[in-house]
Structure formats: structure tokens, C-alpha cells
Amino acid sequence: DAKTTQPPSMDCAEGRAANLPCNHSTISGNEYVYWYRQIHSQGPQYIIHGLKNNETNEMASLIITEDRKSSTLILPHATLRDTAVYYCIVRVEDGGSQGNLIFGKGTKLSVKP
Amino acid sequence: NAGVMQNPRHLVRRRGQEARLRCSPMKGHSHVYWYRQLPEEGLKFMVYLQKENIIDESGMPKERFSAEFPKEGPSILRIQQVVRGDSAAYFCASSPGIVQETQYFGPGTRLLVL
């Protein structure tokens, strides 16, 4: 089972920031928070990941609470093309045998004009 | 740098036939993962391979399914004697391995079993 909890759906107005929450209250000290998204019928797309510091790249920002029990993915200026299912995943990154990602149901983000 | 490539993108098979799905990882990536997505469901891990080695096949059905990642060439997911329940999208991901483990996904192969 997925170790994260996300709202099943969210709406966002085009041009506004989309803030997608994720709860991961049982996260371990060596587990990273990863975000992927899946646009309809396409392969999952990597967005961003982090351990405990906030992270930002050209796609999004990731804000992780100090206790690491939750995080928020921020798309600063959502466009219609950002409509997708967004997955929050916690995963150990140690180069060992735990290779797989465990996908939950994610949040279906609908960006509306 | 080309991304993960999968072929064919669509595959139609009749019950009892064999399906072979191919995955070419990103250049420089030595780890390959296969996932299956049934209609209206999330992605489920199947198998994790490094060159010539299966590292984790805990998500692979015990019968009819096999995977390989030879020293040369793409990774192959093979499904023997397909049944209608095998109809799904099969995604491959690759990662560099060792230090940086972010997985990058291919476009998937959509298998339809008639």
C-alpha cells in the first residue's frame, strides 16, 4: 500500500498557483518525497523530489514541513496542460534493492480556463 | 539525450498468443523497471532489473510473465499465452543507478488481448 495520502481531486484556475498537499506521517528518516504526474494516456513524468529541504526546479516547488510528515507541491502558474493525476511517493534512495515506486491513487488536478 | 523508448506503442494479441514488449533505457542508465497499469487503476510495480540480473520480481505474476535485460539490447517483458486480463498499459522506467535513483518513464505499450 502507498505510504501517502492525497485528496482525490482538486480544481485550479488557469494562471493561478496550484497547491497539492500530501500526507506522509509514517515517513522514515532516509525516505525521500517524490512527485510524478501522469497526463492522460502518457507515461508518468518526474516532477521533483526532496528529503527535508524545500526544492525548486523549472516545473515546480516542493515544500516539506519541518517534521517531514507532510509536503506540498506548488505549480506557480498552472496551465491547461498541467491537468493530470499527481502522485506523491515516499521512497528510500540508497542504491539498494528497493527499486520500485509505490503509486497510490494520486490527486486528479483539473486546471480550468 | 533521448528518453526511455518503448515499442511497440500498441500491441493487439489474441488469447493464447505471446506478447513481447521492449524497453530501451535512457543513455547511461543501467537500471530498468516495469510497471503495469490496468484500466482505471494506478501503476503497479512488476520487476526491477539491472544488466543481466533480476533484482526484484516481487510484483511479477508467477506464471506466464518473464523479463530480461541482456548485456546488449533492450529489456524485454514477455507474456506467454496472453489472456484478456493482461490487457493493460505497460510502462518501463530507467534510472542511472548507484547514486541517483530518479526513475524516468517511457510512453508505455498498450496491450489489448482479444
Side-chain angles (χ1 to χ4, degrees), chain A residues 36 38 41 43-44 99-101, chain B residues 33 35 37 45 91 103 105 110:
Chain A
Y36 283 81
Q38 187 175 26
S41 298
N100 55 300
L101 297 169
Chain B
Y33 314 79
Y35 294 79
Q37 188 171 32
F45 166 76
F91 293 99
Q103 295 180 26
F105 284 79
R110 276 136 190 93

Side-chain angles (χ1 to χ4, degrees), chain B residues 83-96:
Chain B
V83 300
R84 288 210 173 116
D86 297 332
S87 294
Y90 292 82
F91 293 99
C92 166
S94 73
S95 72

